[in-house]
Amino acid sequence: MTASPAPGLDEIVASAHVLSLPMRTRFRGITTREVLVFSGPAGWGEFGAFPEYDDAEASAWLRAGIEMAWQGAPDPMRDHVEVNATVPAVPAAEVPAVLARYPGTRTAKVKVAEKGQTLADDVARVEAVRALVPTVRVDANGGWTVDQAETALRALTENGDLEYAEQPCATVEELAEVRRRVRGVSIAADESIRRAEDPLRVVRAGAADVAVVKVPPLGGVRAVLRLAEELAQYGVPVVVSSALDSAIGMSAGLAAAAALPTSTACGLGTGALFVTDVAEPRALVDGRLRVDTVVPDADRLRELAAPDDRRAWWLERLARCHPLALL
Ligand SMILES: O=C(O)CCC(=O)C1=CC=C[C@@H](O)[C@@H]1C(=O)O
Ligand SMILES: [Mg+2]
């Protein structure tokens, strides 16, 4: 598809909807996900940078949304992608109900190191997942010190393997140290890639075995594909994951996963965390999602409309980020 010229702010605002999506369970500290969606000549795009992000960081998310709406997705190599179940930091007893929303998935990513919880909570949750799903990853969102990570990863691998531990600690140096100390567990970088000035630094520092890549913070599908090529030169595979996107934003993650030379279980099943989405939820069949784009449902756009003050907040943010996104 030929790219259309970059849109003016007024063109984006003309079709913009600010939505407030209720979530089934608290995830990364929120129970409502706000996003701004808009349409262009190639389809729908999403601007959903988390509210606490500053404009410089948020503008990459807008660039990704504009890419999908004005340029569309690159050619896919496959029409379905495998996803992992995403298990929030719930009590172990709730694990079966969470996993029931991910029929056929053979990999689960389990949140650990949640503030206010203990290592015993993490171990119990991971064991409950292991009883039902063969391959388990954990994500600590940088919540451990190096010593805590070492203790936790040993405890979490006492009764079974972990495919990898995602962002066990906050800094690149800490990740490298954990990787040295805990030889049996692969280390994946997430925040050290999506929130870094230089996403390759973590790999050059020998601090990651796997790279978790998300389309919105990296500025688009094509940017993710370019980064994946560079990472491949270091022998580091990527796992495409969502940024807690609505069904519209998820189209971009699916497009990236579909355009990569190889694809392992992606973190793109987070639509299951929403009570309602902007379109009919994509069906998860045998642990796989179909690669497609969606058009939002008019009734849902009305029902999910954010309150006026939040709409105003997002439109002001859009206006500030627009010139930065087009740089
Ligand atoms: O990777 C997945 O299974 C789902 C996506 C996911 O976990 C995340 C999405 C958005 C924000 C993040 O806090 C979180 C992550 O840290 O990977
Ligand atoms: Mg993560």
Side-chain angles (χ1 to χ4, degrees), residues 109 111 139 141 166-167 190-191 194 212 214:
K109 183 173 103 168
K111 288 287 180 182
D139 185 358
N141 288 108
E166 183 172 325
Q167 203 74 38
D190 173 14
E191 285 85 344
R194 70 178 149 99
V212 174
K214 300 184 176 177

Side-chain angles (χ1 to χ4, degrees), residues 15 22 31 39 41 64 68 82 125 150 153 160 170 178 190-191 194 196 211 219-220 230 238 273 289 310 321:
S15 65
T31 50
S39 65
M68 284 302 280
E82 188 187 343
R125 185 180 317 111
E150 185 176 4
L153 293 178
V178 174
D190 173 14
E191 285 85 344
R194 70 178 149 99
E230 292 180 291
V238 298
L273 298 174
L289 287 174
R310 297 307 299 159
C321 291

Side-chain angles (χ1 to χ4, degrees), residues 283-315:
L284 190 53
V285 180
D286 196 22
R288 301 188 319 157
L289 287 174
R290 201 156 71 83
V291 176
D292 61 4
T293 52
V294 300
V295 173
D297 180 277
D299 289 339
R300 289 169 189 253
L301 286 176
R302 250 191 318 277
E303 281 159 26
L304 294 167
D308 287 350
D309 60 328
R310 297 307 299 159
R311 178 177 164 84
W313 185 90
W314 275 94
L315 289 174

Side-chain angles (χ1 to χ4, degrees), residues 38-243:
F38 51 89
S39 65
W44 284 78
E46 177 161 310
F47 175 39
F50 296 119
E52 68 274 20
Y53 288 11
D54 68 17
D55 293 347
E57 190 167 1
S59 61
W61 297 59
L62 176 57
R63 198 177 312 125
I66 291 173
E67 179 193 45
M68 284 302 280
W70 262 263
Q71 204 176 346
D75 290 339
M77 314 260 287
R78 59 191 66 80
D79 55 13
H80 285 79
V81 298
E82 188 187 343
V83 302
N84 64 243
T86 303
V87 182
V90 295
E94 290 176 24
V95 162
V98 171
L99 291 176
R101 290 192 212 113
Y102 296 92
T105 46
R106 285 169 284 273
T107 302
K109 183 173 103 168
V110 186
K111 288 287 180 182
V112 291
E114 178 90 348
K115 277 198 183 68
Q117 297 192 9
T118 64
L119 177 54
D121 296 325
D122 290 342
V123 171
R125 185 180 317 111
V126 167
E127 294 298 345
V129 172
R130 230 181 231 135
L132 297 168
V133 180
T135 303
V136 179
R137 319 166 157 165
V138 293
D139 185 358
N141 288 108
W144 288 321
T145 62
V146 172
D147 286 344
Q148 286 170 335
E150 185 176 4
T151 306
L153 293 178
R154 292 199 196 292
L156 291 168
T157 48
E158 214 158 276
N159 294 319
D161 291 339
L162 289 177
E163 184 191 12
Y164 57 70
E166 183 172 325
Q167 203 74 38
C169 303
T171 70
V172 166
E173 291 67 31
E174 289 171 314
L175 293 189
E177 180 61 18
V178 174
R179 190 160 173 257
R180 262 191 301 274
R181 284 203 211 169
V182 191
R183 294 278 174 193
V185 181
S186 294
I187 302 299
D190 173 14
E191 285 85 344
S192 290
I193 290 179
R194 70 178 149 99
R195 307 204 68 179
E197 292 276 319
D198 173 6
L200 288 175
R201 186 169 98 81
V202 64
V203 169
R204 286 199 201 96
D209 302 280
V210 175
V212 174
V213 292
K214 300 184 176 177
V215 170
L218 290 168
V221 175
R222 288 164 184 84
V224 163
L225 298 180
R226 279 194 299 273
L227 178 61
E229 266 183 44
E230 292 180 291
L231 288 162
Q233 287 166 21
Y234 291 88
V236 173
V238 298
V239 172
V240 180
S241 186
S242 100

